[in-house]
Amino acid sequence: MNSAAANAVVSPSAEAVIDVKGLTKKFGERTVVDDFAIRVNRGQIYGFLGPNGSGKTTTIRMLCGLLTADAGEGQCLGYDIRRESQQIKRHVGYMTQKFSLYEDLSLAENLDFIARVYDVKDRKQAVDKTLERLGLTARRTQLAGSLSGGWKQRLALAACLLHEPKLLLLDEPTAGVDPKARREFWDQIHDLAADGLTVLVSTHYMDEAERCHALAYIAYGRLLANGTATQLIQQSGMTTWSAAGPDLHDLARELRGQPGVDMVVPFGTTLHVSGADATQLEQSLAPYRERTGYRWVRIEPGLEDVFIGLMNSAKDNFQ
Amino acid sequence: MNAYFSWPRFLAVLLKEFVQMKRDRLTFGMIVGIPIIQLILFGFAINTDPKGLPAALVVNDESVFSRSLVRSLENSQYFKFTHRATSEAEADRLLQLGDVQFVLVIPSDFSRKLQRGERPQLLLAADATDPSATGNALATLNQTVKQAMDRELVGPLSGLKPGELPVDLRVQRRFNPEGITRYNIVPGLMGVILTMTMIMMTALAMTRERERGTMENLLATPVRPIEVMAGKIAPFIIVGYLQVTLILSAAKLIFGVPIVGSLVLLSLALIVFIAANLSVGFTFSTIAKNQLQAMQMTFFFFLPSMLLSGFMFPFRGMPEWAQWIGEALPLTHFLRIVRGVLLKGNGLAEIVPELWPIGLFMLVAGTVALKRYRQTLD
Ligand SMILES: Nc1ncnc2c1ncn2[C@@H]1O[C@H](COP(=O)(O)OP(=O)(O)O)[C@@H](O)[C@H]1O
Ligand SMILES: [Mg+2]
């Protein structure tokens, strides 16, 4: 973890690139984003997590002026998110969840179009440079529609970077992309952040979450937790035990519903058993720890345990 | 159970289709709307035997004979003398502008010559650009005139009514003397083809952006609605001119349609007409959720345009309410312009009364399109 940027999460003196509060969006009767607040500092990579349909895309769209918030206020790059969306659009690179460049245009043609729309100076050079930077030069005349997922994602990133934005909003950029391409993508994100670019990125991958300087977790349109990964784990107050042994599936079935056991999640050849109340959990587990053939270890809960826990408690509160 | 065809499975599909059809309000509307519109248009609005055609009268000899003649023509129901002109030139201008379909000229020595049995000339000029509009009126003309004269030539004058007509009836088919239908159809086709293709192409072009998800990216950029609209429309204006060139060449080379008027003037009118259609297409694209709906809307607009504009059937053969709808459509006015310029040799002054309604239509449709086009996704 980059400690300087991580410290920035708690340091109010750092320059905020995104600072919004009370953000609310309704579609008809349904409140999809409810009283959402976030503060992202310059140079940070901020991870945005939450189950499908929790309002991540909607929030990102409100930040870049694609949707008008029903309530809430704040600024993005120093511009008011409600009144100055035109200026925000100029300085933001937004990568949509679904590939949204023209499949019937070649890579170079797509980038050329984007460059013109943003009125990029020295357009031809800028396009060439961006193609080069993302290793797309060899495919410049290929139609975007014929690219595979990983290459499409690279092209989309190229299109976001072309006008040298100050803020990147990436909506599940690595969904459906192979691990090697994901790794390269994230290396690139870190390089960009090191150069001062701020990044808000939504993801479902835990390894990606761990590579972020700070995280926000949203469910049912509400911000449930935010902070660094370490902070989130500490704040969760969760205790986790790992069990290894035979017939884990049967063990899991027995453990579910016991007092103090909030979560039983199989992780490969082990079982993670977690609960918010450490004493009660320990009491419930005591008889099982006597069983022969099992090895019980108390472990630090992972981010995934924390998020599933958050999700479960949210379900109780909002459903 | 039959392995090749299962009724329950068939029913499952059938029901699903009905449910989907019901959900898709627009398609459902089309399914019901198109037959109703066609029935109304074909059943009531379209009349290939137009009556009450407006005519201008130039009377240089007020007499019992001329009055009787006018009355008989009106009684035949084909003619309706809406204008009285003081000179032939004035009447000809009305014909040129399309305000009247016929001009009847009664010469100054009409009754004197008639009484002397000298067979005076009676001139009827007809706007024959659309032969089907004047055909029946002209076919019954001889009979009507003969009856009128027979009625008046009684007593001492009855000797003047032998078998043949006591007047020398001259019919002039103006602008299309041979009454060739394709002279009327081919220029009209230009308007019809442009209406169809221009609306469809813009409607599809925008809807495609939405359907393929590229709209979101476009909206996230600083590009403005008016820029998108102009940028989308401009290429199609060029496409439109390409089509026009094709149709005009075919009209001239294959169909031998006379081109009397100025092509530059026609090009000017074309810009307005094409832009009007593109605005309609753009408006549709802001409403349609997918390309199929865009197509359906195009047809919904195209059908009345074709049927009520005077392209397929004589405009004056339609009842008044249908004419009002027709007047609101750009194609109606464009047909008058293109026929006027190509066949009648009309100039700017003559086409302006037809040009401004198209311009107005374009402004209204363009405003609606811009109002509806949103810069956000909500
Ligand atoms: N344009 C819209 N109209 C109505 N409902 C919408 C619209 N966009 C999103 N939603 C709903 O809002 C909720 C949140 O969606 P979204 O922001 O896409 O979630 P996420 O990106 O976290 O998966 C979903 O239930 C979705 O169905
Ligand atoms: Mg999403």
Side-chain angles (χ1 to χ4, degrees):
Chain A
M1 176 116 350
N2 178 328
S3 65
N7 285 340
V9 178
V10 284
S11 150
S13 60
E15 183 193 342
V17 170
I18 301 175
D19 193 2
V20 293
K21 50 176 178 282
L23 219 52
T24 301
K25 181 73 192 174
K26 291 193 174 96
F27 287 118
E29 286 294 288
R30 261 186 75 213
T31 306
V32 168
V33 175
D34 192 5
D35 196 20
F36 182 85
I38 195 173
R39 186 189 154 99
V40 181
N41 290 329
R42 201 174 106 86
Q44 260 189 331
I45 300 175
Y46 208 109
F48 198 16
L49 290 101
N52 285 329
S54 55
K56 299 185 296 293
T57 301
T58 307
T59 305
I60 292 176
R61 284 174 176 169
M62 281 193 281
L63 289 176
C64 65
L66 272 180
L67 286 173
T68 27
D70 293 318
E73 58 185 45
Q75 54 91 12
C76 192
L77 294 164
Y79 298 109
D80 188 287
I81 57 155
R82 305 185 70 136
R83 287 180 290 107
E84 297 174 302
S85 62
Q86 200 64 23
Q87 279 93 324
I88 295 177
K89 284 178 185 179
R90 264 173 227 288
H91 302 291
V92 167
Y94 170 42
M95 186 165 158
T96 54
Q97 184 170 350
K98 185 176 167 288
F99 182 72
S100 61
L101 290 167
Y102 298 93
E103 304 216 333
D104 44 358
L105 294 189
S106 73
L107 273 64
E109 286 163 345
N110 265 304
L111 293 186
D112 191 66
F113 170 73
I114 297 290
R116 281 175 197 272
V117 162
Y118 281 97
D119 206 6
V120 172
K121 285 200 186 61
D122 299 323
R123 198 181 71 247
K124 286 211 161 61
Q125 264 176 292
V127 169
D128 288 342
K129 213 179 76 191
T130 310
L131 283 169
E132 187 68 54
R133 181 169 167 189
L134 289 156
L136 294 166
T137 309
R139 297 171 186 255
R140 57 178 300 145
T141 55
Q142 201 175 328
L143 291 189
S146 67
L147 293 175
S148 66
W151 287 102
K152 271 190 178 154
Q153 166 238 46
R154 268 193 206 206
L155 173 62
L157 182 64
C160 288
L161 294 173
L162 203 52
H163 62 291
E164 299 183 349
K166 300 196 183 88
L167 169 65
L168 277 184
L169 299 174
L170 310 174
D171 197 358
E172 295 188 30
T174 53
V177 171
D178 68 64
K180 182 168 169 285
R182 285 210 291 134
R183 172 67 51 90
E184 285 165 7
F185 185 84
W186 272 88
D187 289 344
Q188 218 130 32
I189 298 297
H190 273 273
D191 287 347
L192 291 165
D195 293 341
L197 202 70
T198 310
V199 184
L200 179 68
V201 51
S202 77
T203 180
H204 287 297
Y205 296 108
M206 287 307 130
D207 60 323
E208 293 185 356
E210 277 157 10
R211 295 191 70 172
C212 293
H213 300 137
L215 298 167
Y217 189 83
I218 183 176
Y220 303 106
R222 283 175 185 253
L223 181 68
L224 297 185
N226 64 341
T228 64
T230 332
Q231 281 170 342
L232 286 180
I233 290 167
Q234 279 166 6
Q235 279 165 19
S236 75
M238 194 179 281
T239 312
T240 302
W241 288 84
S242 153
D247 299 325
L248 286 176
H249 189 73
D250 293 333
L251 180 65
R253 197 174 299 163
E254 281 181 61
L255 286 169
R256 285 201 181 101
Q258 297 266 4
V261 176
D262 294 337
M263 263 192 313
V264 184
V265 186
F267 269 83
T269 56
T270 63
L271 201 64
H272 287 195
V273 186
S274 316
D277 189 335
T279 0
Q280 186 138 61
L281 179 66
E282 209 148 337
Q283 272 172 19
S284 293
L285 291 185
Y288 297 97
R289 288 171 63 191
E290 304 299 309
R291 285 196 188 176
T292 49
Y294 289 94
R295 203 164 62 86
W296 288 85
V297 194
R298 186 165 164 180
I299 57 165
E300 166 120 313
L303 264 180
E304 190 157 352
D305 298 315
V306 173
F307 290 143
I308 295 172
L310 281 170
M311 180 62 206
N312 286 345
S313 57
K315 204 184 274 173
D316 300 339
N317 287 342
F318 300 122
Q319 265 193 344
Chain B
M1 178 151 303
N2 190 328
Y4 297 101
F5 189 87
S6 137
W7 284 100
R9 282 204 300 262
F10 160 73
L11 202 66
V13 175
L14 187 83
L15 292 177
K16 172 191 114 358
E17 289 301 322
F18 271 122
V19 172
Q20 286 183 320
M21 208 180 283
K22 206 177 70 197
R23 297 269 151 74
D24 188 355
R25 289 272 175 78
L26 196 74
T27 303
F28 194 70
M30 294 284 164
I31 289 169
V32 179
I34 288 181
I36 291 178
I37 288 182
Q38 294 225 16
L39 278 174
I40 292 174
L41 297 187
F42 279 108
F44 302 115
I46 282 132
N47 176 2
T48 47
D49 185 19
K51 300 215 165 124
L53 297 167
L57 187 60
V58 185
V59 190
N60 296 320
D61 175 40
E62 290 282 356
S63 69
V64 57
F65 299 107
S66 49
R67 276 192 295 277
S68 168
L69 189 64
V70 169
R71 208 176 323 117
S72 293
L73 286 174
E74 290 213 314
N75 284 344
S76 79
Q77 303 212 342
Y78 284 110
F79 300 87
K80 188 172 171 208
F81 289 94
T82 51
H83 295 72
R84 223 165 219 281
T86 49
S87 68
E88 263 186 73
E90 188 189 330
D92 282 351
R93 176 135 186 98
L94 290 170
L95 204 61
Q96 187 94 28
L97 285 169
D99 287 351
V100 295
Q101 193 88 37
F102 299 104
V103 172
L104 181 70
V105 184
I106 300 178
S108 54
D109 50 0
F110 184 69
S111 51
R112 196 161 45 89
K113 281 194 170 170
L114 191 67
Q115 280 161 326
R116 287 192 196 154
E118 286 176 8
R119 298 192 75 229
Q121 242 189 37
L122 192 62
L123 177 71
L124 185 86
D127 177 348
T129 38
D130 183 359
S132 65
T134 50
N136 285 353
L138 292 180
T140 59
L141 186 64
N142 256 326
Q143 189 61 24
T144 312
V145 172
K146 186 160 174 14
Q147 275 169 5
M149 295 296 101
D150 285 358
R151 208 163 37 239
E152 292 306 323
L153 295 171
V154 289
L157 297 172
S158 58
L160 294 173
K161 52 171 189 184
E164 65 174 317
L165 209 54
V167 296
D168 177 13
L169 181 61
R170 300 264 171 102
V171 175
Q172 285 182 353
R173 287 184 174 83
R174 297 268 177 91
F175 315 126
N176 181 4
E178 291 108 87
I180 298 175
T181 309
R182 64 171 183 271
Y183 285 6
N184 184 52
I185 300 274
V186 175
L189 262 179
M190 185 191 295
V192 170
I193 293 171
L194 284 175
T195 301
M196 177 78 202
T197 49
M198 292 294 105
I199 294 180
M200 192 170 66
M201 283 193 292
T202 17
L204 288 183
M206 283 303 294
T207 318
R208 202 155 37 224
E209 295 262 359
R210 188 136 0 102
E211 211 173 79
R212 296 188 182 167
T214 52
M215 197 69 184
E216 185 172 4
N217 205 343
L218 198 62
L219 288 174
T221 69
V223 73
R224 298 271 184 175
I226 185 84
E227 296 155 357
V228 176
M229 185 162 153
K232 291 252 170 200
I233 282 181
F236 292 122
I237 293 188
I238 298 166
V239 172
Y241 272 101
L242 220 75
Q243 288 185 325
V244 168
T245 313
L246 217 77
I247 298 166
L248 274 181
S249 311
K252 179 91 189 150
L253 302 175
I254 302 173
F255 299 105
V257 175
I259 296 176
V260 184
S262 151
L263 288 180
V264 177
L265 183 66
L266 186 65
S267 310
L268 184 91
L270 271 167
I271 297 181
V272 186
F273 178 64
I274 291 175
N277 282 315
L278 294 177
S279 311
V280 175
F282 204 90
T283 306
F284 286 170
S285 74
T286 62
I287 303 168
K289 291 203 174 60
N290 51 51
Q291 296 190 57
L292 181 67
Q293 288 195 347
M295 282 292 280
Q296 290 173 327
M297 285 181 178
T298 305
F299 271 95
F300 208 72
F301 184 82
F302 180 67
L303 210 63
S305 285
M306 199 166 69
L307 297 177
L308 298 184
S309 61
F311 171 73
M312 270 197 142
F313 312 101
F315 193 78
R316 291 192 171 112
M318 308 190 301
E320 204 171 330
W321 61 264
Q323 294 198 11
W324 276 111
I325 298 175
E327 290 288 353
L329 300 168
L331 182 59
T332 307
H333 299 279
F334 182 71
L335 287 183
R336 294 177 191 159
I337 292 176
V338 69
R339 286 168 180 168
V341 172
L342 290 185
L343 303 177
K344 299 184 184 178
N346 278 352
L348 183 63
E350 285 88 13
I351 69 163
V352 163
E354 303 297 341
L355 199 55
W356 73 258
I358 305 180
L360 182 69
F361 185 95
M362 180 192 75
L363 279 181
V364 173
T367 311
V368 173
L370 274 183
K371 278 251 151 66
R372 283 204 52 97
Y373 178 90
R374 289 173 194 283
Q375 249 184 314
T376 56
L377 288 168
D378 43 0

